Amino acid sequence: MAFEGIGAAVKRREDGRFLAGRGHYVDDMNRPGQVYAYIRRSDRPHARIRNIDTSAAAAAPGVIAVYTGADMAADGIGGLPCGWQIHSKDGSPMAEPPHPVLAIDKVRHVGDPIAVVIAETRMAAKDAAELLVIDFEDLPGVADIRAAIAAGAPLVHDEVAGNICYDWHIGDRDAVEAAFARAKHVVKLDLTNNRLIPNAMEPRAALGECDIAGHYTLSTTSQNPHVIRLLMGAFVLHIPEHKLRVIAPDVGGGFGSKIYHYAEEAIVTWSAGKLKRPVKWTAERSESFMSDAHGRDHVSHAEMALDEDGHFLALRVSTLANMGAYLSTFAPSVPTYLYATLLAGVYKTPAIYAEVKAVFTNTVPVDAYRGAGRPEAAFLLERLVDTIANDTGIDRIALRRANFIPADAYPYQTPVALQYDSGNHEMTLAEALKAADYAGFPARRAEAARRGKLRGIGISTYLEACGIAPSHVAGALGARAGLYEVANIRVHPTGSVTVFTGSHSHGQGHETTMAQLVADQLGVALDQVEIVHGDTGEIPFGMGTYGSRSLAVGGSAMVKAMDKIIAKGKRIAAHLMEAAVEDIEFKDGAFRVAGTDKSKALAEISLAAYVPHNYPIEELEPGLEETAFYDPKNFTYPGGCHVCEVEIDPETGVTKVVNFAAVDDVGRVINPMIVEGQVQGGVAQGIGQALLESAAYDANGQLLSGSFMDYTMPRADNLPNITVGTEITLCTHNPLGSKGCGEVGAIGSPPAVINAVVDALKEYGVRHIDMPATAERIWSIIAANRPKMAAE
Amino acid sequence: MYDFAYQKPASVADAVKLLAGDPEAKAVAGGQTFLPVLKQRLNKPSLVVDLAGLGLSGIKQSANALSIGAMTTHATVARSAEVKKAIPGLAQLASWIGDNQVRHRGTIGGSLANNDPSACYPAAVLALGATIKTNKRAIKADDFFQGMFTTALEPDEIITEVEFPLPVEKSAYEKFRQPASRYAMVGVFVAKGPAGVRVAVTGAGQNGVFRVADMEAALAKSFAPDAIAAIKVSPEGLNSDIHGSAAYRAHLITVMAKRAVAAAG
């Protein structure tokens, strides 16, 4: 048998059913007596609802019920809760305006749900929804963050002055001011982090059920079913947890957008209880564009103070972050503890001060999207570093090396709260430069020039933070949830193993990676291990999958549970082999009496545990099943270096990414093939953000890029071959040494791409270009600078 | 989509009768625009008349014309040895429409009748001076296209075939794709044939396909990229949206035209 343990590039076990169309998604579920919900949404950015006449819709063929926000309020249904509270500079809590499940009195963004029609068929519900007569009074709206905080801007929530959710800061302002006062150079940069629409392949869906005894089941496209059960049960519908089961079956991609508790989940569960019939809702793609939480949308100003040798003395940043019309579940944490705390990056900048204003606008709520705050931090820093190189004339690589946190300085305390445990930025930089043949670039540039093309190369040396933790620190910073993970490991009588994990796989390949981990540690064959996830009815309370946490946190919980299994197994083995427990060793799936040839396989021990005829029953319970909850001591800190090479057609402005090399430090790797796939996918999304994707709104808040006709998703022909390498240092505080690989691609790549584009355009005097660097944007720069060049 | 009745007649006469008898009826050819429109509930026909049973598919070549049946798919045109030989630019254009699935369903007649301002075929038909034949008459390309989604077709008129005059000495198409939809943001077809030297532009104009007289005059003197490199197209009347301003589109017309001339050899 080929090696299938830790480090083996095992093919993904789940792909067979996905590729054969045999996955089991929420919309594949159909129940006897099932009815369909269709949600009428606002087509306007901001309006008062004077009246909703439901009579014609209610009388339409096949319609069972029509509900509005007033109906939910009459049942005592609360609004959607926010899971993170930020306090402003002055100590006051953030503005937390109500977020009704169905709009009450006002709609605040295109896509805001107004009413639900429930009918015997999807078509009947949709037809009837058109018969709802809604009397709107249109109000002026605002979509742009800067416009929203200007004097006289329309108020998204009447009670939130200036549309400011919070005005937060971090770092030592005095130390930063002092450093700027003595700086030799100050380099400034204004930059925008463009708004993105996640577009998971599977649109969101939810199926609510309620049996005659009042037990509810919600099947939903979620990354964290226990979190949904807690939030929806406790804060919205008031259903106790023992009567609410939440199932997240196969889920076709999330990228963060399926972390949150959404209105539709509450709507189908609540209405299933009222009607005592299963109620299903499935988003149409156009609904996804206007109701899935969006990502990013920052506007920032950054300044670096430097000494005469280019050493960073202090960094000062001010950022405006768009929250959209309401606070999505974890939105407030993204531009604060997942962004500003990362502003040290890989550099030993001694003083940092950042202030962040979160702003309400008439747009879809914004929340964590692959990377969540860290891409924004990495983009700001790595663009700023290249701009410093540009302005001072210092080589961009020498500048980075002069400011790197040296490998022997770990653990390293940053001036913005985080303490990094491990890393080696020189190592990943050197390997990435080699992988990209950086030294050979001038020749490639010259060759491209002969073909009339502008070629550029860019690098980013980034660091990020995964597995947000520990719970008590997150709690002190405003989290209203724990951040541990759970694993339950059940060794069956014949020695096969079922693993129940609170992590959730929606594309990450957990059924393979986690099985490899368990098979390796328990010394059993891979096909003897099954991973179960995504069902609160089967699994102890877990926190789900986001922030690249599944292996570092969920995998660590498995190691802890396996430690307990092995400890108990040793006691059983000691009894069976009449040896002292201290003399039992566990290795390669067998319990041995040290120094003898006596041994018992795991399957023999498990059989004894479940058939306890010869068993230390007085001191040990039967069975071989253990649960562990693991609360990490710290974040993990993946990092690395991405190198991007582009070629620009100066006639059209079209940029082609011709080479991309990523060398990442993700800690211990369980399955290198899955890591490579995760990094490639992340890089594809990063190239999408850098060159193509943009959620466009008009000034009032009308969504202009509401479909794939106008929202540019990256396609295969937009992407180069992506070379992925790993050069690791181990995480020092979790038992696996793993750091996380799910987001590194999306975090490290956008600045590498834009640095390459700016490099390609340097003869045009370009200092910065915002994302997405579309063909038109680049052509405009070239066109505007051509006369200047001719005059020189 | 909304509910509708469906008929698949076996003759052009029957199809015309069905369309004439119901003002809310719509004809469907390959359906590659119409079906998405129905799914988005942007159209509510009472009756959909499927033209697939009328026998309007096929490519015929005579001494002085290449005729393409209205229901001929883009894929058929793209791989036709006759089209590739007689009018290579036309085969190239067909091979670049949509994706593989679209090319195996979408038809030349459907594309022309719809006259989407960012469709590719109108550029070829206008540049090559083709004639659009219907159940009633023959319409010159110059008279056929009448603005965005508007043609000379009457409600009960069906395109039966498109006739391209031969011999075509030079033909080529270059397309700058709208990055999201991949439709033509600027598509330029250049041709030299019985209709003279022509340059037709799709995707850019607010009123659909149009010709560029300055370029045609310059290319008539010298059919070379340099002949038109300095000719600027006015942004007036061009589309402007989140993907490109009118000025950018105007610039791209010259670039694409130059490249098409170079490709035409």
Side-chain angles (χ1 to χ4, degrees), chain A residues 345-369:
Chain A
V346 295
Y347 308 110
K348 55 190 182 195
T349 314
I352 298 174
Y353 176 72
E355 45 191 351
V356 178
K357 280 195 182 84
V359 180
F360 289 111
T361 60
N362 294 109
T363 62
V364 174
V366 178
D367 208 325
Y369 167 68

mmCIF file of all heavy atoms in Angstrom, chain A residues 345-369:
data_model
loop_
_atom_site.group_PDB
_atom_site.id
_atom_site.type_symbol
_atom_site.label_atom_id
_atom_site.label_comp_id
_atom_site.label_asym_id
_atom_site.label_seq_id
_atom_site.Cartn_x
_atom_site.Cartn_y
_atom_site.Cartn_z
ATOM 1 N N GLY A 345 3.032 43.485 9.176
ATOM 2 C CA GLY A 345 3.459 42.605 8.094
ATOM 3 C C GLY A 345 4.687 41.812 8.502
ATOM 4 O O GLY A 345 4.754 41.294 9.622
ATOM 5 N N VAL A 346 5.655 41.742 7.600
ATOM 6 C CA VAL A 346 6.885 40.993 7.886
ATOM 7 C C VAL A 346 8.004 41.934 8.342
ATOM 8 O O VAL A 346 9.169 41.557 8.356
ATOM 9 C CB VAL A 346 7.357 40.201 6.649
ATOM 10 C CG1 VAL A 346 6.352 39.132 6.286
ATOM 11 C CG2 VAL A 346 7.585 41.140 5.457
ATOM 12 N N TYR A 347 7.632 43.165 8.699
ATOM 13 C CA TYR A 347 8.648 44.199 8.954
ATOM 14 C C TYR A 347 8.700 44.580 10.428
ATOM 15 O O TYR A 347 7.698 44.566 11.123
ATOM 16 C CB TYR A 347 8.340 45.435 8.096
ATOM 17 C CG TYR A 347 8.159 45.063 6.633
ATOM 18 C CD1 TYR A 347 6.910 45.129 6.026
ATOM 19 C CD2 TYR A 347 9.240 44.581 5.893
ATOM 20 C CE1 TYR A 347 6.736 44.759 4.704
ATOM 21 C CE2 TYR A 347 9.080 44.198 4.566
ATOM 22 C CZ TYR A 347 7.825 44.292 3.981
ATOM 23 O OH TYR A 347 7.658 43.899 2.680
ATOM 24 N N LYS A 348 9.907 44.981 10.821
ATOM 25 C CA LYS A 348 10.118 45.313 12.240
ATOM 26 C C LYS A 348 9.845 46.793 12.509
ATOM 27 O O LYS A 348 10.535 47.401 13.342
ATOM 28 C CB LYS A 348 11.534 44.895 12.652
ATOM 29 C CG LYS A 348 12.616 45.482 11.773
ATOM 30 C CD LYS A 348 13.991 44.876 12.049
ATOM 31 C CE LYS A 348 15.013 45.573 11.159
ATOM 32 N NZ LYS A 348 16.286 44.910 11.051
ATOM 33 N N THR A 349 8.861 47.358 11.818
ATOM 34 C CA THR A 349 8.465 48.759 12.040
ATOM 35 C C THR A 349 8.178 48.945 13.534
ATOM 36 O O THR A 349 7.271 48.299 14.067
ATOM 37 C CB THR A 349 7.198 49.076 11.224
ATOM 38 O OG1 THR A 349 7.364 48.563 9.907
ATOM 39 C CG2 THR A 349 6.938 50.567 11.185
ATOM 40 N N PRO A 350 8.935 49.814 14.215
ATOM 41 C CA PRO A 350 8.795 49.849 15.681
ATOM 42 C C PRO A 350 7.519 50.522 16.185
ATOM 43 O O PRO A 350 7.085 50.233 17.293
ATOM 44 C CB PRO A 350 10.037 50.621 16.142
ATOM 45 C CG PRO A 350 10.548 51.338 14.936
ATOM 46 C CD PRO A 350 10.078 50.607 13.735
ATOM 47 N N ALA A 351 6.940 51.420 15.397
ATOM 48 C CA ALA A 351 5.745 52.127 15.892
ATOM 49 C C ALA A 351 4.694 52.165 14.784
ATOM 50 O O ALA A 351 5.016 52.487 13.632
ATOM 51 C CB ALA A 351 6.107 53.545 16.327
ATOM 52 N N ILE A 352 3.489 51.814 15.149
ATOM 53 C CA ILE A 352 2.393 51.795 14.169
ATOM 54 C C ILE A 352 1.153 52.373 14.835
ATOM 55 O O ILE A 352 0.851 52.067 15.994
ATOM 56 C CB ILE A 352 2.105 50.347 13.691
ATOM 57 C CG1 ILE A 352 3.325 49.747 12.971
ATOM 58 C CG2 ILE A 352 0.874 50.311 12.764
ATOM 59 C CD1 ILE A 352 3.185 48.285 12.590
ATOM 60 N N TYR A 353 0.466 53.212 14.082
ATOM 61 C CA TYR A 353 -0.824 53.716 14.569
ATOM 62 C C TYR A 353 -1.813 53.652 13.415
ATOM 63 O O TYR A 353 -1.507 54.100 12.298
ATOM 64 C CB TYR A 353 -0.688 55.164 15.069
ATOM 65 C CG TYR A 353 -2.007 55.760 15.502
ATOM 66 C CD1 TYR A 353 -2.626 55.341 16.686
ATOM 67 C CD2 TYR A 353 -2.652 56.714 14.718
ATOM 68 C CE1 TYR A 353 -3.848 55.871 17.086
ATOM 69 C CE2 TYR A 353 -3.879 57.253 15.110
ATOM 70 C CZ TYR A 353 -4.472 56.831 16.290
ATOM 71 O OH TYR A 353 -5.674 57.348 16.671
ATOM 72 N N ALA A 354 -2.963 53.066 13.677
ATOM 73 C CA ALA A 354 -3.995 52.974 12.639
ATOM 74 C C ALA A 354 -5.327 53.384 13.218
ATOM 75 O O ALA A 354 -5.666 53.037 14.355
ATOM 76 C CB ALA A 354 -4.083 51.547 12.108
ATOM 77 N N GLU A 355 -6.084 54.133 12.425
ATOM 78 C CA GLU A 355 -7.458 54.445 12.830
ATOM 79 C C GLU A 355 -8.392 54.012 11.715
ATOM 80 O O GLU A 355 -8.072 54.124 10.532
ATOM 81 C CB GLU A 355 -7.646 55.922 13.185
ATOM 82 C CG GLU A 355 -7.022 56.890 12.231
ATOM 83 C CD GLU A 355 -7.018 58.322 12.780
ATOM 84 O OE1 GLU A 355 -7.646 58.572 13.823
ATOM 85 O OE2 GLU A 355 -6.380 59.167 12.143
ATOM 86 N N VAL A 356 -9.527 53.468 12.130
ATOM 87 C CA VAL A 356 -10.467 52.882 11.181
ATOM 88 C C VAL A 356 -11.869 53.390 11.485
ATOM 89 O O VAL A 356 -12.357 53.246 12.612
ATOM 90 C CB VAL A 356 -10.463 51.336 11.273
ATOM 91 C CG1 VAL A 356 -11.484 50.747 10.300
ATOM 92 C CG2 VAL A 356 -9.078 50.770 11.001
ATOM 93 N N LYS A 357 -12.463 53.971 10.474
ATOM 94 C CA LYS A 357 -13.884 54.347 10.590
ATOM 95 C C LYS A 357 -14.702 53.348 9.786
ATOM 96 O O LYS A 357 -14.445 53.155 8.595
ATOM 97 C CB LYS A 357 -14.122 55.747 10.016
ATOM 98 C CG LYS A 357 -13.757 56.891 10.922
ATOM 99 C CD LYS A 357 -14.392 58.182 10.369
ATOM 100 C CE LYS A 357 -14.017 59.392 11.205
ATOM 101 N NZ LYS A 357 -12.716 59.958 10.842
ATOM 102 N N ALA A 358 -15.675 52.732 10.415
ATOM 103 C CA ALA A 358 -16.593 51.834 9.706
ATOM 104 C C ALA A 358 -17.847 52.626 9.379
ATOM 105 O O ALA A 358 -18.355 53.372 10.221
ATOM 106 C CB ALA A 358 -16.930 50.629 10.556
ATOM 107 N N VAL A 359 -18.323 52.460 8.152
ATOM 108 C CA VAL A 359 -19.326 53.373 7.610
ATOM 109 C C VAL A 359 -20.508 52.595 7.029
ATOM 110 O O VAL A 359 -20.309 51.613 6.307
ATOM 111 C CB VAL A 359 -18.679 54.236 6.491
ATOM 112 C CG1 VAL A 359 -19.675 55.213 5.900
ATOM 113 C CG2 VAL A 359 -17.455 54.971 7.029
ATOM 114 N N PHE A 360 -21.707 53.050 7.343
ATOM 115 C CA PHE A 360 -22.899 52.473 6.721
ATOM 116 C C PHE A 360 -23.161 53.145 5.373
ATOM 117 O O PHE A 360 -22.998 54.357 5.227
ATOM 118 C CB PHE A 360 -24.132 52.658 7.613
ATOM 119 C CG PHE A 360 -24.118 51.797 8.848
ATOM 120 C CD1 PHE A 360 -23.956 52.350 10.112
ATOM 121 C CD2 PHE A 360 -24.266 50.417 8.747
ATOM 122 C CE1 PHE A 360 -23.945 51.561 11.254
ATOM 123 C CE2 PHE A 360 -24.250 49.607 9.884
ATOM 124 C CZ PHE A 360 -24.085 50.188 11.136
ATOM 125 N N THR A 361 -23.565 52.344 4.395
ATOM 126 C CA THR A 361 -23.952 52.857 3.077
ATOM 127 C C THR A 361 -25.157 52.062 2.587
ATOM 128 O O THR A 361 -25.478 51.014 3.153
ATOM 129 C CB THR A 361 -22.824 52.673 2.040
ATOM 130 O OG1 THR A 361 -22.553 51.273 1.931
ATOM 131 C CG2 THR A 361 -21.555 53.417 2.414
ATOM 132 N N ASN A 362 -25.768 52.515 1.512
ATOM 133 C CA ASN A 362 -26.915 51.795 0.935
ATOM 134 C C ASN A 362 -26.434 50.708 -0.026
ATOM 135 O O ASN A 362 -26.719 50.736 -1.224
ATOM 136 C CB ASN A 362 -27.863 52.769 0.233
ATOM 137 C CG ASN A 362 -28.513 53.712 1.216
ATOM 138 O OD1 ASN A 362 -28.210 54.896 1.257
ATOM 139 N ND2 ASN A 362 -29.388 53.174 2.044
ATOM 140 N N THR A 363 -25.676 49.774 0.531
ATOM 141 C CA THR A 363 -25.143 48.678 -0.276
ATOM 142 C C THR A 363 -25.311 47.370 0.497
ATOM 143 O O THR A 363 -25.606 47.380 1.692
ATOM 144 C CB THR A 363 -23.642 48.891 -0.577
ATOM 145 O OG1 THR A 363 -22.923 48.901 0.659
ATOM 146 C CG2 THR A 363 -23.386 50.197 -1.329
ATOM 147 N N VAL A 364 -25.119 46.268 -0.204
ATOM 148 C CA VAL A 364 -25.194 44.955 0.437
ATOM 149 C C VAL A 364 -24.187 44.906 1.596
ATOM 150 O O VAL A 364 -23.080 45.442 1.475
ATOM 151 C CB VAL A 364 -24.864 43.854 -0.608
ATOM 152 C CG1 VAL A 364 -24.775 42.479 0.050
ATOM 153 C CG2 VAL A 364 -25.911 43.843 -1.716
ATOM 154 N N PRO A 365 -24.560 44.302 2.732
ATOM 155 C CA PRO A 365 -23.591 44.209 3.831
ATOM 156 C C PRO A 365 -22.269 43.570 3.396
ATOM 157 O O PRO A 365 -22.242 42.689 2.537
ATOM 158 C CB PRO A 365 -24.321 43.321 4.848
ATOM 159 C CG PRO A 365 -25.776 43.598 4.595
ATOM 160 C CD PRO A 365 -25.873 43.782 3.101
ATOM 161 N N VAL A 366 -21.192 44.071 3.994
ATOM 162 C CA VAL A 366 -19.840 43.588 3.683
ATOM 163 C C VAL A 366 -19.341 42.786 4.887
ATOM 164 O O VAL A 366 -19.551 43.183 6.026
ATOM 165 C CB VAL A 366 -18.890 44.786 3.425
ATOM 166 C CG1 VAL A 366 -17.471 44.295 3.141
ATOM 167 C CG2 VAL A 366 -19.405 45.637 2.273
ATOM 168 N N ASP A 367 -18.708 41.670 4.637
ATOM 169 C CA ASP A 367 -18.168 40.868 5.745
ATOM 170 C C ASP A 367 -16.911 40.163 5.253
ATOM 171 O O ASP A 367 -16.376 40.499 4.192
ATOM 172 C CB ASP A 367 -19.248 39.891 6.251
ATOM 173 C CG ASP A 367 -19.087 39.524 7.726
ATOM 174 O OD1 ASP A 367 -17.941 39.420 8.204
ATOM 175 O OD2 ASP A 367 -20.112 39.317 8.412
ATOM 176 N N ALA A 368 -16.469 39.180 6.028
ATOM 177 C CA ALA A 368 -15.225 38.488 5.697
ATOM 178 C C ALA A 368 -15.355 37.741 4.377
ATOM 179 O O ALA A 368 -16.324 37.037 4.153
ATOM 180 C CB ALA A 368 -14.867 37.516 6.809
ATOM 181 N N TYR A 369 -14.371 37.894 3.517
ATOM 182 C CA TYR A 369 -14.287 37.174 2.244
ATOM 183 C C TYR A 369 -12.838 36.748 2.094
ATOM 184 O O TYR A 369 -11.933 37.543 2.334
ATOM 185 C CB TYR A 369 -14.734 38.087 1.095
ATOM 186 C CG TYR A 369 -14.409 37.561 -0.282
ATOM 187 C CD1 TYR A 369 -15.045 36.421 -0.772
ATOM 188 C CD2 TYR A 369 -13.479 38.192 -1.091
ATOM 189 C CE1 TYR A 369 -14.738 35.929 -2.031
ATOM 190 C CE2 TYR A 369 -13.170 37.708 -2.344
ATOM 191 C CZ TYR A 369 -13.796 36.574 -2.809
ATOM 192 O OH TYR A 369 -13.493 36.087 -4.058
#
